[in-house]
Amino acid sequence: MELTVLLASSLMLCFSIVSTTASILDTIVPGQSIKDGETIISTGRSFELGFFSPGTSTNRYLGIWYKKYATGTVVWVANRETPLLDHSGVLNFTSQGVLHLRDGVNGGIVWSSANLTKPPKNPTALLLDSGNFVVRDGNLKTSNVDYLWQSFDYPTDTTLPGMKLGRNLATGMDWSLTSWKSPNDPARGEFSLGIDPRGYPQLVLKQGNNTIYRAGPWNGNRWTGSPKQQSNSVYDYWFVFNEREVYFAFELINESLLSRYTVTASGATGRFNWKDDRRGWVTYFLMGADQCDIFAKCGPTAMCDIDGTNYCNCLDGFRPGSPADWAVRDWSGGCTTKGPLGRCRKGEGFVRLQKVKLPDTSGSWFDRNLSLKECRQRCLTNCSCTAYSSLDVTRGGSGCLLWFGGLVDLRAYPDNGQDLYVRVDASYLASIKKKKRKVVGMRIAVLISLVAVVVTVIVLGWRLCLGKIKQRYQGKKKYRARKGSNNDDLELPMFDFTTITSATNNFSDDYKLGEGGFGPVYKGTLCDGQVIAVKRLATSSGQGLEEFKNEVVLISKLQHRNLVRLLGCCIEGDERMLVYEYMPNKSLDHFIFDESRSKLLDWQRRIDIIEGISRGLLYLHQDSRLRIIHRDLKTSNVLLDIDMNPKISDFGMARMFGGDQTEACTSRVVGTFGYMAPEYAIDGLFSMKSDIFSFGVLVLEVLSGRKNRGFFTSDHGLNLLGHVWKLWMEEKPLELVKEEQRQIVVSDSRLAALIKRHIHVGLLCVQQEPEDRPNMSTVVLMLGGDSLLPDPKPPGFFAERKVPETDSSSSYNKSRSIGEITVTEFIPR
Ligand SMILES: *[C@@H]1O[C@H](CO)[C@@H](O)[C@H](O)[C@H]1NC(C)=O
Ligand SMILES: *[C@@H]1O[C@H](CO)[C@@H](O)[C@H](O)[C@H]1NC(C)=O
Ligand SMILES: *[C@@H]1O[C@H](CO)[C@@H](O)[C@H](O)[C@H]1NC(C)=O
Ligand SMILES: *[C@@H]1O[C@H](CO)[C@@H](O)[C@H](O)[C@H]1NC(C)=O
Ligand SMILES: *[C@@H]1O[C@H](CO)[C@@H](O)[C@H](O)[C@H]1NC(C)=O
Ligand SMILES: *[C@@H]1O[C@H](CO)[C@@H](O)[C@H](O)[C@H]1NC(C)=O
C-alpha cells in the first residue's frame, strides 16, 4: 500500500540566509550576548538561533530555524509582535537568567523571557538539538523539569518532536499554535491549533474565534475524527490528560528524519515531513479534508455523510428544524425531535449509531471509571442527557462520555468511527422494534428466494460456461438465457471460456493491450472476425458470483455512443473476465501527450472529443437509470474509435467491485485541508462532483497537451491547474495553448473564443468546493452554448486519482496556499 502525500515547498516559512554569520557555539552565559549577524548552533547542527528577515520583509526578528537540513525553515520566533526595524538588535542574558532582546539604538527591551521566581546560581542559555532554546542552572543535570525557561513553552506556529501541543491546566500556560499573519510577517495570524479544554478535551483548529475543524475527542488510540493511524516508521505519538496538563505530543523514531506540525499563514494545518532527496517538505496530512469536516456544517442532531447526495441528514427520529433552509442546502439549523421537547418520559431508550465521529464534546461530561452499562444508566437518569459513548475504546472499551443538548459536528465515518448511543423516545423505539420484526420476516423470505435463484443460476452458469450450450456471442445478438422455467427475461451476455482462450491465443503476451487497475487487457478475435478486448480481472473481489453477474447485466445495459460497450463476461472458476468492443486507436493520453501523435488532433477534433466525453459522462451521471459515478476518469480511460470518437471506459468498475475495493487499488482523493491518509480518501470524497473535477482536469489537459501531474512551470512551481489559474487571473488564458499552436488559435477569433470558453468551463469544474462545481448537464450546456459563465473560484488544492504506475492529477489552490507547490508521491507505509 502506498500513502499519498503532498509536497509543500518550504517557501512560506523560509528565508534566504543572506550573509553567513559568525557563530558562537551553542551556549551563552550571563554577560554574553548575541548581536544581529551572530548566531548560535545546536551541537548536532540541527538548529540555529539568530536574527532573520522573513520573506520580503526587512524587519528583523530573533528566531530559531533548521540548520543542517531544511535550512532556513523557521520554527520559532521570539519577538513576533515586536519587530526590530534595523540590524541593531542584541540579545542579552542577565545574571538572573533572563533573556532580553534590546533595540540597540535606544536600548529599549522589545522582548524578554519570563522572570524567574528564584534566581539561579549559575544560569546558562542553551540551544538544544531538539530546537528547544532553554535556560537552566548550570549546576543541574540536563532534564526537562530542570529548565528554568524553555522556548518549547511558547510555541509560535510549529510543534517539533518532544514539544507539547495543549495546555498546562495548573498554570494556564497555553501550548497552542498560531499561524503567521503572512509569509512576510510572523505576527499572530488568524488560524490557531490547540486543545479546547472544555468538557472532554479535543483538538480544534480555529479561525479567529470560530472553530473551523475539530479532530474529535481522544479515544485511547487517536482523535475520533482522524484517520486510523498506521504504524509508521517516522514518529510515535501520545496524548496525556490529567489534573495538571492536557497535551498531544510526538517523538521521532529515527532521529535523522525531520517532521513538524505547522499552521501555515493560509490556514493549511498538518504534519510536514522533510524529504531530503526532494529538498522539500512533504505534507503528510492536512486537517479538514472535505465538506463534512467543516465544523457543525449540519447543525445539531444531524449526521454529515460525504457519500450522500445531501451531505446532511437528520438522525432517525428527528426532522429538520427549518425545512425551508434545508431545501436550499443550508443545513446549519440542524434537526429537532418530532415530539415535544423535554426528556425523561416513560419508555425512553437508545439507538446505536455505528462508526461515527463523536460529536462536539465541549459541553460533555466524562468519567473514566464507569462501564458502558453504567454510562447508559447515568445518561438515562439525567433528563438533559442526549447521548453517551465509551470514553476509551482500547482494551474492549471503558469510561463514559455524556452529551447534553444538541449533538453537533457528527459525521459518518465508515472506516474509523466509533459507536454513539443516542436517546430516543418510547414511540420511536416501538416503531423500530416493529420494523425489525418485519425485516426479520422479510429476510427469511428473501433468503429462501435467494437460495432458489442461486441454485438456478449455478446450474445455468455451469451449462453456459462449460459449453453445454455451444452458442457464443455473435455480432449484436445476445443470449437469451431463460431463468428456469419462468418467463423473466434475463439477458446474460455470457462468453464461453474456450472461446475467450482461443480468441486471445490463451492470453498470450502478444495479445496483451495493457494493464489497468483491475488487471490485464487482451485483444482477441472471435471466429467470425469480430475483434474484442478482454479485461481479465484481478481475482478475489470478495464478491459473490450472483452479484457480479447482476452488475455485468446492469452495466451491459448502459449504452451510449461515448461509452465503451461491454459485450459480456466470462466466468471460469475464480476467474472473471469482461469482454468489450475493441477500440483500435487506443486511449486519449496516447495522443495528446505525444509530440507527433498530438498533431493528428486538430482543434476541432479536440473540441469534439471534449464534447463527446461530456455527453458520455452526462449519460452516466444523469440519464442512465443507474446513475454511475465513474471515480477514475482520466485521459487513459478515454478510448478512441476508428473515427477518433471518444469512448469512456472502466465505468461501473466501482459498482462491480464494491466501492472500497475499487478505491483500495485505484484511487486516492485528497482535499485542501485533507488528511492525506488513503483510507480517509476512501471514506470520503467521491461524489458526482468529484467526477466533475476529473473532467475539468481532463479538459485542461486536452487543451494544453500537458499532464496536470508532473507539469510545473519553471518560474512559479505551479502544477497545471495552478498554472491555468495564474494565466486566468492575469487575463491571458490562451497562453495555456502550446506555443507552436498559439498562432493558429489567436488568428482565428471564433476558435480563440471557443477555447477560452472551454478553459473557463474547465476552471469551473475544478473549483475547490464541490458545491461550486456545475453538474454535468450544466457543463454540457455551458460547453455548447454562448451564455455568460460565472467567474470561477480558485481551483481545488489537490485531488487525485491514482493507479500504480500511471498518472494522477493534482491541483493547486491559490487562495489557501500562496507559494506552496504540490506534488504527489508514494511513500511506503
Ligand atoms: C547587552 O549586550 C551588548 C553587547 O554585548 C552590551 O553592549 C550591552 O551593554 C548589554 N546590555 C545590557 C543591559 O546588559
Ligand atoms: C520582569 O521584572 C522586571 C523588573 O523586575 C519587570 O520590569 C518586568 O516587567 C518583568 N517581566 C515580566 C515578564 O514579568
Ligand atoms: C474574540 O473573542 C474575544 C474575547 O471574547 C474578543 O475580545 C475578540 O474581539 C474576538 N475576536 C473576534 C475577531 O471576534
Ligand atoms: C534513519 O534514517 C536514515 C535516513 O533515511 C537511514 O539512513 C538510517 O538507516 C535510519 N536509521 C535507523 C536506525 O533506522
Ligand atoms: C477512578 O478509579 C481510580 C482507581 O480505581 C480512583 O483512584 C479514582 O478516584 C476514581 N475516580 C473517580 C472519579 O471515581
Ligand atoms: C445532568 O448532568 C449534568 C452534568 O453532570 C448536571 O449538571 C445536571 O445537574 C444533571 N441533571 C440531573 C437532573 O441530574
Side-chain angles (χ1 to χ4, degrees):
M1 275 300 277
E2 291 104 342
L3 191 62
T4 308
V5 289
L6 282 167
L7 178 74
S9 86
S10 41
L11 277 176
M12 302 185 60
L13 294 158
C14 229
F15 62 93
S16 46
I17 294 167
V18 186
S19 57
T20 357
T21 51
S23 300
I24 44 166
L25 304 175
D26 62 345
T27 310
I28 51 176
V29 294
Q32 274 184 338
S33 60
I34 301 172
K35 296 198 200 72
D36 194 333
E38 296 171 341
T39 64
I40 60 174
I41 296 173
S42 65
T43 47
R45 301 186 64 76
S46 299
F47 288 94
E48 182 167 28
L49 178 144
F51 292 83
F52 72 98
S53 293
T56 57
S57 170
T58 54
N59 290 341
R60 302 297 285 173
Y61 296 89
L62 178 72
I64 297 171
W65 55 86
Y66 286 99
K67 175 67 175 170
K68 190 160 55 182
Y69 301 108
T71 314
T73 301
V74 175
V75 296
W76 184 76
V77 184
N79 56 324
R80 65 187 304 188
E81 304 286 353
T82 49
L84 292 156
L85 304 178
D86 55 31
H87 287 246
S88 71
V90 54
L91 180 70
N92 292 40
F93 188 45
T94 71
S95 53
Q96 274 74 47
V98 182
L99 294 154
H100 288 305
L101 179 60
R102 290 175 185 277
D103 183 327
V105 176
N106 57 27
I109 295 178
V110 297
W111 173 86
S112 71
S113 64
N115 291 337
L116 304 174
T117 43
K118 243 196 251 156
K121 289 196 201 79
N122 192 7
T124 49
L126 177 68
L127 179 62
L128 301 177
D129 244 351
S130 60
N132 197 3
F133 186 42
V134 303
V135 174
R136 68 167 203 232
D137 202 328
N139 296 332
L140 296 173
K141 296 239 156 55
T142 308
S143 155
N144 256 15
V145 288
D146 295 328
Y147 298 145
L148 304 170
W149 179 88
Q150 58 176 339
S151 64
F152 271 17
D153 277 341
Y154 303 89
T156 50
D157 65 344
T158 297
T159 296
L160 292 172
M163 208 163 153
K164 295 171 179 177
L165 176 57
R167 62 173 71 204
N168 185 325
L169 299 172
T171 63
M173 187 173 268
D174 186 2
W175 298 308
S176 65
L177 304 181
T178 312
S179 68
W180 287 21
K181 224 174 207 140
S182 81
N184 304 323
D185 183 0
R188 302 172 79 83
E190 49 177 340
F191 298 97
S192 62
L193 180 72
I195 287 186
D196 179 351
R198 295 173 301 159
Y200 190 70
Q202 37 183 4
L203 186 68
V204 296
L205 178 64
K206 289 186 165 189
Q207 183 171 16
N209 287 340
N210 302 321
T211 297
I212 55 173
Y213 169 75
R214 190 179 64 87
W218 190 265
N219 69 8
N221 287 327
R222 60 189 167 81
W223 310 105
T224 64
S226 67
K228 216 173 270 169
Q229 295 273 3
Q230 295 127 19
S231 58
N232 71 73
S233 54
V234 181
Y235 62 93
D236 225 354
Y237 56 90
W238 61 95
F239 174 70
V240 170
F241 177 33
N242 55 36
E243 307 75 47
R244 280 170 292 113
E245 51 188 4
V246 48
Y247 67 84
F248 172 83
F250 72 100
E251 199 74 75
L252 289 174
I253 293 169
N254 185 336
E255 298 279 334
S256 70
L257 303 171
L258 309 182
S259 180
R260 64 188 165 93
Y261 252 89
T262 298
V263 185
T264 67
S266 56
T269 302
R271 176 184 293 283
F272 303 84
N273 294 341
W274 177 255
K275 294 287 284 181
D276 202 45
D277 51 352
R278 285 174 182 278
R279 315 212 141 268
W281 289 100
V282 171
T283 306
Y284 194 70
F285 69 78
L286 293 178
M287 293 184 175
D290 62 25
Q291 291 292 310
C292 285
D293 274 344
I294 296 171
F295 180 74
K297 183 185 178 74
C298 297
T301 331
M303 175 84 78
C304 197
D305 179 2
I306 199 72
D307 281 335
T309 39
N310 290 329
Y311 289 123
C312 300
N313 293 294
C314 289
L315 297 186
D316 284 347
F318 296 80
R319 62 168 177 209
S322 165
D325 287 341
W326 275 55
V328 294
R329 302 171 76 79
D330 173 2
W331 294 291
S332 55
C335 306
T336 58
T337 37
K338 288 189 174 111
L341 282 166
R343 303 279 187 172
C344 276
R345 275 168 294 124
K346 213 170 153 235
E348 282 178 349
F350 295 91
V351 289
R352 180 168 69 150
L353 301 182
Q354 286 171 289
K355 297 191 182 295
V356 299
K357 168 180 172 179
L358 295 180
D360 186 7
T361 55
S362 59
S364 65
W365 175 91
F366 67 95
D367 185 326
R368 291 198 181 89
N369 291 359
L370 294 183
S371 71
L372 195 60
K373 215 167 155 193
E374 291 164 327
C375 190
R376 180 181 194 278
Q377 200 52 36
R378 187 63 73 99
C379 188
L380 204 56
T381 52
N382 184 321
C383 299
S384 50
C385 178
T386 48
Y388 71 94
S389 82
S390 260
L391 190 60
D392 188 327
V393 298
T394 56
R395 299 185 307 273
S398 63
C400 176
L401 195 50
L402 300 185
W403 282 266
F404 309 97
L407 304 171
V408 178
D409 202 34
L410 190 56
R411 76 172 291 178
Y413 217 45
D415 272 6
N416 299 300
Q418 73 185 71
D419 292 351
L420 177 73
Y421 298 85
V422 178
R423 187 180 200 132
V424 292
D425 64 17
S427 64
Y428 180 72
L429 222 49
S431 77
I432 50 173
K433 272 192 189 133
K434 217 194 268 164
K435 246 189 248 158
K436 242 188 215 159
R437 247 176 271 138
K438 245 195 217 158
V439 167
V440 170
M442 263 164 60
R443 273 199 193 141
I444 292 171
V446 166
L447 205 69
I448 291 171
S449 45
L450 212 70
V451 169
V453 169
V454 167
V455 168
T456 337
V457 167
I458 287 174
V459 170
L460 209 72
W462 237 72
R463 291 169 64 193
L464 285 170
C465 260
L466 293 185
K468 289 245 165 81
I469 298 173
K470 287 277 181 206
Q471 258 177 306
R472 66 159 183 77
Y473 185 88
Q474 284 175 331
K476 292 201 162 57
K477 206 168 78 195
K478 277 207 173 126
Y479 277 143
R480 298 232 145 204
R482 300 223 171 254
K483 234 176 142 193
S485 59
N486 73 36
N487 280 345
D488 285 347
D489 275 354
L490 176 67
E491 280 182 313
L492 253 186
M494 188 74 80
F495 281 76
D496 195 354
F497 185 64
T498 49
T499 307
I500 300 295
T501 45
S502 68
T504 58
N505 197 9
N506 205 10
F507 302 107
S508 115
D509 274 353
D510 298 342
Y511 284 63
K512 196 162 164 179
L513 291 171
E515 185 99 28
F518 299 92
V521 182
Y522 298 87
K523 183 179 175 178
T525 311
L526 301 175
C527 311
D528 63 357
Q530 185 180 2
V531 186
I532 55 171
V534 179
K535 191 182 277 276
R536 192 177 195 182
L537 299 177
T539 37
S540 185
S541 70
Q543 193 188 31
L545 187 67
E546 188 61 16
E547 285 166 288
F548 177 75
K549 283 185 190 168
N550 283 341
E551 289 301 334
V552 172
V553 170
L554 287 174
I555 286 167
S556 68
K557 284 185 178 152
L558 294 175
Q559 294 185 11
H560 186 273
R561 67 189 299 266
N562 296 114
L563 298 184
V564 175
R565 184 100 179 268
L566 177 65
L567 301 177
C569 72
C570 176
I571 298 169
E572 169 79 5
D574 273 349
E575 187 126 40
R576 279 132 206 226
M577 280 156 271
L578 296 173
V579 180
Y580 291 97
E581 59 177 337
Y582 174 73
M583 288 294 132
N585 273 329
K586 298 196 175 168
S587 52
L588 185 54
D589 62 331
H590 188 64
F591 281 89
I592 57 170
F593 301 133
D594 181 275
E595 189 95 13
S596 56
R597 280 191 288 264
S598 68
K599 296 204 177 85
L600 298 172
L601 297 179
D602 61 25
W603 282 106
Q604 191 53 49
R605 184 74 77 190
R606 286 179 194 227
I607 301 285
D608 289 347
I609 285 173
I610 290 172
E611 191 198 278
I613 298 167
S614 71
R615 290 188 186 282
L617 198 56
L618 174 64
Y619 175 81
L620 286 178
H621 279 190
Q622 284 167 16
D623 293 348
S624 76
R625 284 178 306 155
L626 296 178
R627 290 177 161 261
I628 298 255
I629 301 176
H630 190 293
R631 298 183 180 220
D632 198 19
L633 187 67
K634 55 186 176 186
T635 51
S636 58
N637 269 342
V638 173
L639 307 184
L640 297 170
D641 73 5
I642 193 87
D643 300 318
M644 300 299 267
N645 292 314
K647 295 190 181 237
I648 300 172
S649 76
D650 264 6
F651 54 88
M653 295 308 266
R655 279 185 69 101
M656 223 173 269
F657 277 82
D660 288 359
Q661 299 257 353
T662 320
E663 286 142 47
C665 58
T666 65
S667 318
R668 307 272 184 270
V669 174
V670 185
T672 304
F673 283 81
Y675 292 95
M676 297 302 156
E679 56 272 62
Y680 192 85
I682 290 160
D683 284 353
L685 288 167
F686 285 115
S687 70
M688 296 211 181
K689 291 300 180 71
S690 40
D691 271 358
I692 304 284
F693 186 97
S694 315
F695 175 76
V697 174
L698 198 149
V699 168
L700 297 172
E701 287 185 336
V702 170
L703 296 176
S704 66
R706 292 177 169 122
K707 295 180 188 188
N708 186 30
R709 182 175 182 234
F711 166 74
F712 292 102
T713 48
S714 50
D715 53 343
H716 285 83
L718 305 180
N719 69 1
L720 179 60
L721 297 194
H723 178 60
V724 179
W725 179 246
K726 179 170 165 283
L727 294 177
W728 184 261
M729 294 309 280
E730 291 166 359
E731 298 185 357
K732 44 184 189 186
L734 290 180
E735 287 190 16
L736 180 63
V737 173
K738 278 197 173 158
E739 201 148 7
E740 57 269 26
Q741 292 165 20
R742 210 172 289 158
Q743 199 45 44
I744 306 172
V745 172
V746 174
S747 62
D748 179 343
S749 63
R750 187 202 68 93
L751 182 61
L754 198 57
I755 289 175
K756 225 183 262 174
R757 190 173 185 82
H758 277 66
I759 294 172
H760 194 158
V761 174
L763 279 172
L764 289 171
C765 291
V766 297
Q767 291 177 103
Q768 181 186 329
E769 301 291 338
E771 288 165 319
D772 290 337
R773 296 176 209 147
N775 63 23
M776 213 52 222
S777 56
T778 313
V779 169
V780 170
L781 288 175
M782 283 174 169
L783 288 175
D786 52 8
S787 59
L788 208 59
L789 303 179
D791 283 336
K793 294 181 187 164
F797 173 68
F798 192 87
E800 101 166 15
R801 320 234 161 280
K802 188 160 276 178
V803 179
E805 288 147 49
T806 65
D807 300 310
S808 70
S809 319
S810 60
S811 61
Y812 169 76
N813 175 326
K814 192 167 184 179
S815 70
R816 288 289 189 185
S817 50
I818 297 154
E820 269 179 298
I821 54 164
T822 65
V823 153
T824 59
E825 66 166 58
F826 291 121
I827 60 163
R829 246 189 210 171

